[in-house]
Amino acid sequence: MAGLEKKVMYRYSGNGKFAVRKQEKQQEAIERNTAYQKMISTPDGITKYISGTDNIGHKQMKVLVNLQKKLNNK
C-alpha cells in the first residue's frame, strides 16, 4: 500500500498568472466580508442589507433578525 500515498500539491503558488489571480480573489473576498460585517453591526445596517438583497436564505434571515433584536435591546 506504499504506492497509494497521495502527494500534497500546492496549486497556484508563486508569481504565475493563476497564483496572482487567486490572491486577488482572496483579497476581494476579504474586502466583501469586512464590508458585510461592518454593515450588519448596526440595526439600521441590517435593515438596509435585508431590503437591498434579493436572495437571502431562511437561515441567514433568522440570524440577521435575531442579531437585529439583540442589538435593539442593548
Side-chain angles (χ1 to χ4, degrees):
M1 292 283 181
L4 297 177
E5 296 174 9
K6 291 187 177 181
K7 293 182 180 179
V8 177
M9 293 181 59
Y10 298 100
R11 296 187 69 196
Y12 306 136
S13 62
N15 295 325
K17 65 181 179 181
F18 294 111
V20 170
R21 180 63 185 136
K22 180 180 176 184
Q23 291 169 354
E24 289 172 357
K25 286 172 70 175
Q26 288 174 341
Q27 285 299 101
E28 291 169 1
I30 290 169
E31 290 171 8
R32 280 194 308 273
N33 190 25
T34 54
Y36 171 76
Q37 293 298 329
K38 186 176 179 181
M39 180 178 268
I40 66 164
S41 64
T42 63
D44 294 333
I46 293 172
T47 305
K48 184 177 176 184
Y49 178 78
I50 291 172
S51 65
T53 306
D54 294 332
N55 297 331
I56 297 180
H58 297 291
K59 290 181 183 178
Q60 186 180 12
M61 183 64 85
K62 280 184 183 180
V63 169
L64 290 173
V65 169
N66 288 337
L67 181 62
Q68 189 175 27
K69 287 178 185 176
K70 182 180 174 183
L71 290 173
N72 281 331
N73 290 336
K74 281 188 175 181

